[in-house]
Amino acid sequence: MSELTTIVENTLETRFPEVVVRDERKGYEGFIIQAEKLVEVVTKLRDDFGYDYLSSVTGVDYLPEGKMEVVYHLYKSTGGSALVLKAQTPREVASVPSLVPVYPGAELQEREAWDLYGIHFEGHPDLRRILMWEGFHGHPMRKDWQEAYYEEDSKPYKSRWPDGEVWRSEDKNTFHKNVDYPAGFDPETWVPDGDASLYAGLGRVVKPGNGGGLGTEQVVVNMGPQHPSTHGVFRMVVTLDGETITALKPVMGYLHRNHEKIGERNTFLQNMPFTDRLDYLSSMSNNFGYALAVEKLMGVKPPERAEYLRVIMAEFTRISNHIWAIGFLLNDLGAYFTPMLYAVEERELILDIFEAVSGSRMMCNYFRFGGVARDLPEGVYEKIRKLVYDRLPRKIDELDLYLTNNEILRSRGEGVGILTPDQAIAYSASGPLLRASGVPYDIRRADPYSIYERFDFDVAVRYHGDIYDRYMIRLDEVRQSLRILQQAVRDMPEGPIQEGKPQYQVRVPPGEAYGRVEGPKGELGYYVISNGKPNPWRYHVRAPSFVNLTPLEIMCVGNKVADSVAILGSIDIVLGETDR
Amino acid sequence: MSEELNTPGYEIPPEMQGQVAITTLDKIYNWGRRSSLWPLMFGLACCGIEMICTAASRFDFARFGMEVMRPSPRQSDVMIVSGTVTKKMIPQIVRLYNQMPEPKYVVAMGACASGGGPFKEGYNVVSGVDKYIPVDVYIPGCPPTPQALLNGLIALQKKIDKQSIKEVRWYQKEPIEAIPIPVLGPDIMDPREYASIREYAQGKLESESSSAAVPAEEAA
Amino acid sequence: MDGMGILRGLGVTLKRFWETYWDDIVWWLRRGRRYDSEEGINHRMSINTRGIFTIQYPEEKLPVPEEFRFIPFLLYEEGENGEKQDRCTSCGICAKVCPPQCIWIVRTNDPETGRPIPEPQEFYIDVDICMNCGFCAEYCPFDAIKMDHDYELAVYDRVHNNIYNKEKLSKPVSYYSSIRPTNYTREEQARAEAEAAKAARRAQRN
């Protein structure tokens, strides 16, 4: 922990005696703050100590103690390690003050905690369910909430072995489906919400006036969930004044696959392949973050060669993700499919390497706690070398020549969807979105993990914060990734790839850990709590695609409806991660 | 092409071979349909990415007449359900299916679309899209590689080849009923099951009140 | 100047368009077979690929690397008289490590003593749940379950087809050694070494 952090922590305790208490639980860090004083303390932290970036907000259900906890991870946008704050509240009437007035970036994350945990955030401007729909019974992440196919609290299930007569879960359900209804429910009298609460909230933003002349009526347009521009099953509800957007609401949850609920039932290792399916375009980075978080708890470090392999795979992932994102951005801007095809071709070559190394093109499942799954097979090293020294630099230059300075791209992209640096920080934007707005914040430099200190690379940064800069920054980052790759390929030592023996049942001491990596989409964080059992007590993913959608509205308002498609494309979301 | 269409058993004079083909109506009709299956541009999850890769240059399903991916269900023939089907999404999927014109086909791509996949136990996951709409081909795998998807699409073409105009459902006299769109209640509800849902919920209430000491059994 | 960016971009497209023909011509002049041949597929997969990139499935197939994993399968040793000896001892590690819990194993019990016999009576995998993660193969101490390369598994009916039983899952060791030769050699070596070490220890003890 840096000196500055210690100073902050000491002052915190003296300045707010009895309000701020050090978290003394074994393996825990940070402070527990009296819920009523939360806003006051964080305002102080933001204004006086520079903790201006709220990374993650999440709820934890401590069922045995009968309380809920909300965990906040604060960072400085100038770099450094986390300040962890916690607010506790009784389980029955869970309520804490909302931090949206201080950090607007908390908006979606607090809604998620409300949806999944039923924690009420006092003062939240638009506290609705976000991943499930209004009217769903119960708050599913609560430890005492059970789904229709509930079998046991933790895996492995006893029914699988030694007397594993096969059955399908649906055969045991009354309706032969994954459904359950509360007692005494009558479907005939049920009135579905039908998004009424969503539409009611659309008037929240102050609308610019129409000026003089004829009066116009605003219309609400739904884009998605099945819409070719939304990169999956995402939905934008926009209010239009003519063609100008006056309000926009992101609606998500159409791919909510209960990653965290399943993750808390899995053993630690079993979660690894599930992380692949978060951001399915960059599974290696997802593995990386989760491995870091659990390794922090376990206190193991992978051997040298494994570290290099991890970096190589993570940077390849970044390249393949960024060229894919560029291709899709151009799709959204109307250059239908041709840039995409060129990008996919290079991506396929990278996927060939992933497939040879890990066994699968997309769902790599390559990282293990304290190492990686297997060494490079024969011939792959040569292929990687040729790719990073010869082909990819050439092809990136070609992509650059092909698209950069294209007049159509410039006129569609420049000055559209602007996010200022202050807004980007306040709205917890991360990754290329943050750096394109002129904030040179890259976790690989700001809070280094693995062996990134050893490599010589620049943090890409652009200053306009518009679509065009977000396109440019991806090209820049690909070039920087290639630099890292070239160094990593050159320096990679021989040696073991796994610390200790590979185990399927790892021992994780009690405690909490927050592992975060600079994923291709932004800050990917894993918050893991272990209570010494084989499966995590809490497993939370701070998904960059999800949090980066918080500033979508302020980026879109005032632009034309066609621009919203491009703005969404320039954020580069993946729905598997947004909805989890 | 003419070899493909020719029905054996008819003699074609040598000078006309390669110029004419004698075929059955079924055969030419099926040939036409299976050679231009337009998929709905509809990616749900991870498998959707592999579907895009299948459309891209390395695997290129344009070779099968499928390159025209239609964003509108009104113009598409085959719906590739590519990914996890959630309860929040299933009303839209059923609506899209209803909007597709006959003849229409559904391919369940990957474990999730077929039977819930690794996320089956999740509270928001539908255990297989076939619980709501009829599926023609199931492709296992998580995710199926592009070649596995192509294999599934070829399987669909083979299925089309076996159909007969006399028996296909879209030429029958009785009208094809649209599938009722599920409703988002406390859990997803099929409008056809309202009576049994009420019965189940009443039964649950009674068993809860009669034996308050014994916790009510979960439906699973 | 306005329009230069677009022209440059079109130039790139034109170059790529030209390359598709150029590469074909080069191959034709060299009398090589660019299509329907192993050489041609390897060229299109290689780092130097240019021109037409398509692998014409199903006539051509993109070769899968050795580590490629799809659905798991069970290995059996073939005896001299054609009898099948399962490698699986029904220890249950694969069922325990399986993340989505798609493996079901019925252990065989000796009818007389009631004690378990190291051989599964039944072994099921629900491929509608399986996530192809490869953990079962990775952590099996007996090398009895491995990941298959066969991905052509499309079916018309999942209810009857997609729960694989032991019969459907079992494949001979020779098949395994053909799809994963390096892994097979390494495992056989390790096993031989372990046997030798065991024998040495036994000899030492005596």
Side-chain angles (χ1 to χ4, degrees), chain C residues 176-193:
Chain C
Y176 174 57
S177 66
S178 71
I179 61 167
R180 288 171 193 256
T182 359
N183 276 330
Y184 176 73
T185 333
R186 193 183 58 230
E187 282 156 14
E188 288 304 306
Q189 248 168 21
R191 191 165 308 132
E193 272 165 30

Side-chain angles (χ1 to χ4, degrees), chain A residues 133 137 148 180-181 252 254 265, chain B residues 86 88 121 185-186 188 200 220:
Chain A
W133 59 90
H137 66 112
D180 190 20
Y181 304 95
M252 49 197 95
Y254 295 100
R265 203 173 287 141
Chain B
T86 61
K88 202 170 176 180
E121 64 196 277
I188 192 83
Y200 166 82

Side-chain angles (χ1 to χ4, degrees), chain A residues 19 154 214 240 270 454 456 549:
Chain A
V19 173
S154 62
L214 281 176
L240 294 180
Q270 283 173 347
R454 296 184 198 172
D456 182 25
L549 284 172

Side-chain angles (χ1 to χ4, degrees), chain A residues 478-493:
Chain A
V478 168
R479 293 215 164 96
Q480 297 303 329
S481 287
L482 281 174
R483 268 176 80 186
I484 297 176
L485 275 171
Q486 286 165 356
Q487 295 166 52
V489 167
R490 187 189 65 205
D491 299 341
M492 187 165 66

Side-chain angles (χ1 to χ4, degrees), chain A residues 77 318 434-435 439-449 457-460 477 518:
Chain A
S77 59
R318 193 182 317 277
L434 181 66
R435 289 190 289 274
V439 184
Y441 187 83
D442 186 320
I443 300 170
R444 291 173 294 174
R445 278 278 186 259
D447 185 12
Y449 55 93
F457 69 97
D458 301 320
V459 174
E477 283 191 17
E518 183 66 44

